[in-house]
Amino acid sequence: MPVKKGKFKKYVYCFAGGKAEGDASMKMILGGKGANLAEMTNLGLSIPPGFTISAEVCKIYYELGKKWPKGLEKQINDNLKKIEKVTKKKFGDFENPLLLSVRSGAAVSMPGMMDTVLNIGLNPDSLNRLIEKTDNERFAWDSYRRFIQMFGDVVMGVPHFAFENELKKVKDKYGKQLDIELNYEELIEVVKNYKKIYERFTKEKFPEKPKEQLYKAISAVLESWNTDRAIKYREINNIKGLVGTGVNVQTMVYGNMGESSGTGVCFTRDPANGENKLHGEFLINAQGEDVVAGIRTPIPIDELNKLLPKNYKELQRIRKILENNYRDMQDLEFTIEEGKLYILQTRTGKRTGASAVKIAIDMVKQRLITKNEALMRITDDDLDQILHPQFDTKELKNKKPLTRGLPASPGAAVGQMVFNAEDAEKWADLGKKVILCRRETSPEDVAGMHKAVGILTSVGGMTSHAAVVARGWGKCCVSGAGEIDIDAEKKEMKVNGKIFSEGDILSINGSTGYVYQGEIKTVSSSLSPEFKMIMKWSDNLRKLKVRTNADSPEDTLRAVQLGAEGIGLCRTEHMFFAESRLSIFRRLILFAYESRRIESVLQRLSSDSERIALEKEYSKVNKEYKKALSELLPLQKRDFRGIFKTLKGMPATIRLLDPPLHEFLPKNLQEQEELAEVTNISLDRIQHIISDLHELNPMLGHRGCRLGITYPEISDIQVRAIIEAAIEVKRKTRKNVLPEIMIPLVGHYKELQLSRERAEIVISKVFTEKKVKKGYINYKIGTMIEIPRAAVTADEVAEFADFFSFGTNDLTQMGAGFSRDDAGKFLDEYIELGIYDKDPFQSLDIEGIGKLISIAIELGRKKKNKLKIGVCGEHGGDPKSIYFFNKAGLDYVSCSPLRVPIAILASAQAVLIQKSIVSKKKKAGKKK
Amino acid sequence: MPVKKGKFKKYVYCFAGGKAEGDASMKMILGGKGANLAEMTNLGLSIPPGFTISAEVCKIYYELGKKWPKGLEKQINDNLKKIEKVTKKKFGDFENPLLLSVRSGAAVSMPGMMDTVLNIGLNPDSLNRLIEKTDNERFAWDSYRRFIQMFGDVVMGVPHFAFENELKKVKDKYGKQLDIELNYEELIEVVKNYKKIYERFTKEKFPEKPKEQLYKAISAVLESWNTDRAIKYREINNIKGLVGTGVNVQTMVYGNMGESSGTGVCFTRDPANGENKLHGEFLINAQGEDVVAGIRTPIPIDELNKLLPKNYKELQRIRKILENNYRDMQDLEFTIEEGKLYILQTRTGKRTGASAVKIAIDMVKQRLITKNEALMRITDDDLDQILHPQFDTKELKNKKPLTRGLPASPGAAVGQMVFNAEDAEKWADLGKKVILCRRETSPEDVAGMHKAVGILTSVGGMTSHAAVVARGWGKCCVSGAGEIDIDAEKKEMKVNGKIFSEGDILSINGSTGYVYQGEIKTVSSSLSPEFKMIMKWSDNLRKLKVRTNADSPEDTLRAVQLGAEGIGLCRTEHMFFAESRLSIFRRLILFAYESRRIESVLQRLSSDSERIALEKEYSKVNKEYKKALSELLPLQKRDFRGIFKTLKGMPATIRLLDPPLHEFLPKNLQEQEELAEVTNISLDRIQHIISDLHELNPMLGHRGCRLGITYPEISDIQVRAIIEAAIEVKRKTRKNVLPEIMIPLVGHYKELQLSRERAEIVISKVFTEKKVKKGYINYKIGTMIEIPRAAVTADEVAEFADFFSFGTNDLTQMGAGFSRDDAGKFLDEYIELGIYDKDPFQSLDIEGIGKLISIAIELGRKKKNKLKIGVCGEHGGDPKSIYFFNKAGLDYVSCSPLRVPIAILASAQAVLIQKSIVSKKKKAGKKK
């Protein structure tokens, strides 16, 4: 649409006098905050009048090299006039000055990440008018002080600490503890000194012209879009596709104008547990940032009913209006200015997983939303959170808590204490679990917070930075534990006379707020009826089966309880790592190695005398090899019996030994010496074998079916253990046993063919020995598709496979050519640069690895049209990947036990998404 | 075809009395030897009558669990009768006994690998008759002795050494040196003792019944097909698809019946240089195995003209008949029995590469074969051999040879002496070059011979085992160096008073037979006119362009001289390994690492004081980084200038830095300390960086374009060097310069997009700086396709690529999921088991990796139909792979300089093969 000459695009949208130019659907243009201010204005709520500068301006601002587009200034001034008319005040006026706030607001909420400037328009002239009007000198001077500080910090980049130090100096001078204790004369001194600081840092006078203040503040908000911390936040939260932030310019209202004023934040339902009642907190005689920044600990919202009952009732009314309008739980900010309630902002409220599930179900019951909408609203993070471990109640009984804070984000966490975000990152990168302990957190801490298992703060409420961010991630957090004294410099925490240092272990309960010294055992949480309802609805919708990756009866049971329909991946090597077995397995490896070596030498020898000597050695070594194998057999069998029993007739895909043998051999001398003693093989020889088995690229080495081909005896014993266990369990329980033997790392169909032939021989031997008919155990033999070669020759492979299971981890590693262990060195940068949208090990790279999968499915089903196909990489528990797998026509996904409910839900969501795509396409087709 | 009742399949084929049931085309049925005996019989040559048992019998024999098929015995006896009729002798007769030989013979010649039994039918009775008939007691008893030994060894597995020890004992007893010095009475003693040995080892009497002897011998030949050494030979020579060996039963003729008897081996042309004249050697009064086994040193064939001129003339006549019939050079065995010449076998003669080329060209001139046939006859090994290094003639002038043997297989070799095959294997596996020194070689030495760079024997002629096998491989060999005395036990060699031990360095010249002490420099050989003719004919046929992989002007020049049409892969990292540069590059890496680290910390920091301190450090480090880059620039430029000049207008594909940075950093402490001194970075810090850069799977690590993306400054400097050098060379030489910048290891199109955008910026900057127009240098930017993901998303990648070059090494590693370094642990076994036909790193895995390549070509050309596509992995020099690349529609292949002629020839062969496939298909189509 060509823009008419002399006319510019619409950059500014007004909301004032009960009418707004925008509405809630315009988030991409106005940002979330702006769109909702417009919507609420239209809903007739009491909103301080103002206007929103569209997010597009932000984009143009950067395109023009940080300049305003032409026409913007005029549109701003036109809208200012509208507001002046509605408020009957005048911006820059002596008589009745209009004071403004400038706030950022993008389409996606980024709490605490963007900048705000309040009290714009204050200068010595308007200050006097404010004093006159409010008859409150302290309030006016405090507002001016805050304005200078915010403007200096946010707009001009004057270091925050410079102002803070100054404030502290004045407080110390007059023996005051809290800011609020300063009287107006002392505040005048602060203002004077603040201005000096401002001049020192900026080399210019503090601007007194309101227009200059406003324009600079707007530009500062635009600038805040691309600060390092904003970029980092978007990165961590994977926020993409936004053009910029909107800028909201709004009439100031004051919550700090005395005891009939106040400010607060509340949720239309409980964000922690979903209870259907107003939930929140407020401060009397305070500015909004006092609540959000968590500096004063606020009062629960219920108490407002006692203090300002009229406002409380109105809030309850607004709560209903908003929920009916938005059909979702809202998070709103309000200010009461001398008894009049204003809503400053509303947005969809962040909530815990348990709360998300409860709210969804309740809203279906209220007929606010449909079942399908409810299912689509619940995320994997929600369920993940519900499934988070909690402290063992038995252990908890005997534990006296150290102290208590606010239950800011549920779950239990145990870790070592660190006192700054950088340490949290460092320690976590070393594989340690850490609890980040801070007086309060701030946006620059987010990276460290992300790496911690839990967060503990001594100051700040349920809506403090720490609480909001932790809840978003489903990370355990206790905030505002006021008895705690944290010295970040000394890396020490004092509480009730006890001193804790860096590295000490702490257990925190984000569901209760209790903090404990030392480690407490955690257990999985129990599941709510609402959770079960979601699972039931999902089961009715989904097409994909959901299995689990489990190697023990315990894990299997847990997964089955969570809805798993069988095992999709049982890794047999995990069974060898138990200490008692490891020593057998190590012996086995050494003798297997020696056997194979002698065999190959024997093939080459022709001298009979040499041959005879070597054959003797061979028979000795081979006997030891066989012995180790036979020791392992009953142990493996026991594992499989336990799993088969737990499955009660559900299928179990069991993968034969996969990792390279050197992973099992000891690295330290002492264990090598022990092994030498047990095996009677010299230490030298053992070290030689270890070094010979070493691999330059173990990921691409001698593992998977390659082991079974060079050491077929090991596969034999595993197959035997599976089938013998299956027969025994079927006989005993009279329930079906469905073992699916999975040959790993097949790249060439002949590998599968050979492995399968060998396995079939063992199986029919076992059938004969156990005197059962050929079909007694309905076993399957299949393979993982995890090597690109196998994917592109899947038709050949399918001929010898009863099933495929995509090993998406390895397929990603080999397909994309980077190892999971080493990719860390560049993958972050790759995601930053947008080469990959997300870590391809977390969420399937659908365009690349997905293509290999599609090729394999097409070729495999061309050969066998009913070929059973599943996935058992970690992507089997990732919703986006599951949407792809559903579309690609897989039969099942398999994931870790705790991800099973997530996979169940995602499978249902996949069906809904698929339907909506199909119906959209149909509609598009009809239009044509 | 159903076999009639009572009738069996034809197992036995007769050749006798000038008529044969088979012919040369029946190799697969009769084996090479049998088919040629039949053919020669039909040609009217004098062939000892006999019959051939078909190779299918060998297959059935194993299928039946080592039993003869029904009907075979009857067919043998029927044919025996025919021979008895023709020879007028009778098998097992007292009066006129027929004596037989039994020899193996498969479709592919396996010299020395299969077993032979002579003199079957000898027993005390026929022995007496033989004495009477020949009036030569010594001959008869010697024949009997040989028979017992051969039968015992070959048929019954009596250890060879047992007989040899016995023979030596008798010789010692009578003070005799040579076998031939033993008189008949002494031989009678040997026979007696031989029979005792036989009985001791076999626990049975030596069979005297001729039929039993024959049947057992036939079975023994069938058994010899699957001995370890035969299997090993087929493995090494990659012989596949044969069903078994034929068995040739033939009337005995004797070359050891006095001075008018003899035996020899000859070639219809010179197998060393291709000269068109009879070439060979013989022994008077000797059995055939005396020549082949190399125990006595034979006389050149020319001398036969003096000794037995009639027979010599007949040989010359036969030579022409055979060449006209077979249209190729023949290798034949003959025996003269009391003045009558018999041809025992003929087959296509093995030859050196030079000889192969000359013979092919000569035969075209003689109109025996067509040009295309000539081209198809020459193999990569032939050319490889021609291109083998020779000794530097200047150095050679000043060198006095130690001794001289026969020029058994051409080329020059320098290596350390080892004295047995096992040591040869071991040392070679440790990366050492070895010369295998043996008195004579035998089939069990083949594995060790294969690993040696050269072979030296003290006994044996041009057709000894060592000579034949070495020539087949194109490996340098000097045989029959009689002055040398080798003590394998002591691992010592004495020659002219000098003693050499294991590990001493020797230089041997297989083209002249000279042996030198110490190391002599080798240079490449000069090329014959015939070679150039083959290249010219190939050029006229081929469609594929042939480029070379070269990193220096020298290599480039050599390749261009051999016909290369540009550079397909210039690896820039090789340029950094030179000592002077390595130290700059190491500095560069350290400062690059530190720069990047500080950058990332700075992004996270918010405290201004910390930031200011760090920014200072950053600017210091970054300055050093820039400094190292600027030091590298002129050096890189010089490299490229040299290469561009040499190419004279031909294109050069230059790959940006590929290997992971840790490969360049020092592993030993001293060098690390030096680096610490130079860089002023602490040793601790350097070691930290080295350990941080360490990778678990370097193949799948931080390398290729990933480096260019995280350290773009390094790519910038490389691109700058390329373009600046191109401009400078173009200005100076006024010849075109065609640089093709290749971005390695692209997996995702965005990697290429980003890298390309950055390169284009640098390039246009250079154009501006150098004041040239935009199109002055016609550069291209493309990528390697070496990651499976890139192959399956090649359409996306093609959008940003001017060309593709398949990196088939990495594509094989990632596509098949095994690293070249680690696959050795199982790949041999995989090839043995037939999972892969050949080492997929040597010859492209067409079914698997070839499929990825086909997918990439299809997708790439779908996006850009004229996309230039080449290959630069080592497969670019492998004929079979080249046939595939030709068919797949590639534009060019690139290979190492010495493989260029091979690639040129193979590209022409590819066209011929393609044509023949097409014409076959057309014919098949017409028939329908």
Side-chain angles (χ1 to χ4, degrees), chain A residues 157 159-161 228-229 232 235 422 425 444 447 596 601-606 608-611 691-703 705-707 709-712 745 747-748 750-751 754 787-790 792-796 813-826 829-830 832-837 845-849 851-852 855 859, chain B residues 157 159-161 228-229 232 235 422 425 444 447 596 601-606 608-611 691-703 705-707 709-712 745 747-748 750-751 754 787-790 792-796 813-826 829-830 832-837 845-849 851-852 855 859:
Chain A
H160 192 69
F161 67 84
D228 289 342
R229 71 180 192 192
K232 188 93 186 168
E235 218 179 285
E422 214 170 295
E425 281 194 87
E444 49 267 35
R596 183 165 174 251
V601 175
L602 274 173
Q603 271 191 12
R604 270 181 293 155
L605 278 187
S606 69
D608 296 76
S609 51
E610 286 177 289
R611 180 184 286 273
S691 105
D692 188 51
L693 286 177
H694 169 79
E695 294 179 309
L696 285 176
N697 292 284
M699 179 54 50
L700 304 175
H702 193 179
R703 65 185 194 96
C705 69
R706 296 161 193 170
L707 289 175
I709 286 168
T710 53
Y711 298 107
L745 214 74
H748 197 295
K750 286 185 188 168
E751 294 174 307
L754 281 173
I787 290 186
R789 194 191 186 285
V792 297
T793 60
D795 45 351
E796 297 171 354
Q813 297 196 89
M814 294 174 195
F818 41 67
S819 101
R820 193 173 183 149
D821 296 314
D822 302 306
K825 296 209 169 76
F826 54 86
E829 224 160 311
Y830 265 44
E832 230 170 88
L833 290 167
I835 294 173
Y836 284 98
D837 281 344
D845 158 30
I846 290 167
E847 293 74 28
I849 307 308
K851 186 127 183 226
L852 278 171
I855 291 172
L859 291 174
Chain B
H160 192 69
F161 68 83
D228 289 343
R229 73 181 191 192
K232 187 94 188 169
E235 217 180 286
E422 214 171 295
E425 280 195 88
E444 49 266 37
R596 182 163 174 250
V601 175
L602 275 173
Q603 272 192 11
R604 269 180 295 154
L605 278 186
S606 69
D608 296 75
S609 51
E610 284 177 290
R611 180 184 286 274
S691 106
D692 188 52
L693 288 177
H694 169 78
E695 294 180 309
L696 285 176
N697 291 285
M699 177 56 50
L700 304 175
H702 193 179
R703 65 185 194 94
C705 69
R706 296 162 193 170
L707 290 174
I709 286 169
T710 53
Y711 298 107
L745 214 72
H748 196 294
K750 286 185 188 166
E751 294 174 306
L754 281 173
I787 290 185
R789 194 192 186 284
V792 297
T793 59
D795 44 351
E796 296 171 355
Q813 298 197 89
M814 294 173 195
F818 40 69
S819 101
R820 194 171 183 152
D821 297 314
D822 302 306
K825 296 209 171 75
F826 53 87
E829 225 160 310
Y830 265 43
E832 233 170 84
L833 290 167
I835 295 173
Y836 283 99
D837 281 343
D845 157 30
I846 291 167
E847 293 74 27
I849 307 309
K851 185 126 183 227
L852 278 170
I855 290 172
L859 291 174

Side-chain angles (χ1 to χ4, degrees), chain B residues 110-182:
Chain B
M110 296 162 68
M113 300 306 298
M114 303 295 293
D115 288 316
T116 297
V117 186
L118 303 177
N119 298 322
I120 290 169
L122 267 187
N123 58 18
D125 292 330
S126 53
L127 182 68
N128 284 334
R129 192 68 197 101
L130 194 64
I131 294 168
E132 272 173 44
K133 231 187 106 184
T134 60
D135 200 17
N136 188 339
E137 264 188 302
R138 194 204 169 277
F139 158 69
W141 282 101
D142 191 42
S143 297
Y144 198 39
R145 168 195 73 85
R146 286 172 191 256
F147 175 48
I148 297 168
Q149 180 167 349
M150 270 190 178
F151 192 90
D153 174 8
V154 170
V155 180
M156 303 302 292
V158 178
H160 192 69
F161 68 83
F163 292 118
E164 287 298 323
N165 286 348
E166 180 53 39
L167 192 64
K168 193 162 179 294
K169 237 194 280 173
V170 176
K171 283 193 287 187
D172 290 350
K173 183 174 168 190
Y174 299 104
K176 303 284 168 76
Q177 291 285 327
L178 299 175
D179 301 1
I180 211 162
E181 291 169 313
L182 290 171

Side-chain angles (χ1 to χ4, degrees), chain A residues 254 593 733:
Chain A
Y254 293 94
Y593 177 93
T733 63

Side-chain angles (χ1 to χ4, degrees), chain B residues 472-537:
Chain B
W473 288 333
K475 195 180 294 289
C476 169
C477 175
V478 171
S479 69
E483 294 178 335
I484 286 176
D485 202 354
I486 287 173
D487 186 332
E489 202 126 295
K490 277 196 188 164
K491 302 194 176 177
E492 256 185 30
M493 173 177 108
K494 278 186 211 161
V495 54
N496 301 324
K498 286 187 183 165
I499 296 181
F500 296 85
S501 312
E502 192 180 47
D504 289 347
I505 290 180
L506 222 55
S507 296
I508 65 174
N509 190 338
S511 312
T512 62
Y514 283 112
V515 178
Y516 304 86
Q517 182 175 355
E519 184 177 345
I520 301 175
K521 220 176 108 183
T522 55
V523 291
S524 317
S525 61
S526 64
L527 303 173
S528 68
E530 286 86 1
F531 172 88
K532 285 173 188 156
M533 183 77 80
I534 291 291
M535 289 296 104
K536 207 178 133 193
W537 292 352

